[in-house]
Amino acid sequence: MIPSLHSGRLCREGFRASVRRPRPSAGGTRRYSADDVERMRRIADLQADGLHLSGIGRVIDLEDQNEALRKDLAEAREERGGDDGGDPAE
């Protein structure tokens, strides 16, 4: 059985897998941002696909690296004068 997104266990394990921690409030409760919730949805999807938490953590790390590289590439293209070389992933 796959735990729901609201499951405390999924949240704890998911954040452990993605090496993220929610921001605690002054009262000590966990505060999740919209990005945190989206990440948890992604973790739940990967878990539903049969990945274990170590694999989920690796997938998320690679997705984060990919996003950072795409941003760097877009910035470099913009600095070169808006080179419209297209998306190399397409």
Side-chain angles (χ1 to χ4, degrees):
M1 180 175 99
I2 302 297
S4 75
L5 183 58
H6 298 288
S7 164
R9 179 174 167 256
L10 176 62
C11 288
R12 285 187 302 278
E13 290 177 357
F15 276 97
R16 212 174 295 131
S18 65
V19 193
R20 286 232 175 141
R21 300 287 180 260
R23 295 176 312 236
S25 70
T29 59
R30 293 184 181 106
R31 300 286 182 175
Y32 296 96
S33 69
D35 288 340
D36 292 337
V37 172
E38 183 59 35
R39 184 171 287 258
M40 291 307 305
R41 285 190 177 117
R42 181 67 178 132
I43 290 168
D45 289 345
L46 291 168
Q47 196 172 38
D49 288 342
L51 272 72
H52 294 282
L53 289 176
S54 60
I56 291 170
R58 184 68 179 135
V59 166
I60 289 174
D61 286 345
L62 290 169
E63 289 175 343
D64 289 346
Q65 289 173 19
N66 187 311
E67 182 179 342
L69 289 170
R70 287 180 183 273
K71 285 180 184 178
D72 290 347
L73 179 59
E75 289 173 8
R77 284 183 174 160
E78 189 173 310
E79 288 174 7
R80 284 195 341 213
D83 180 350
D84 192 14
D87 185 350
E90 292 181 343

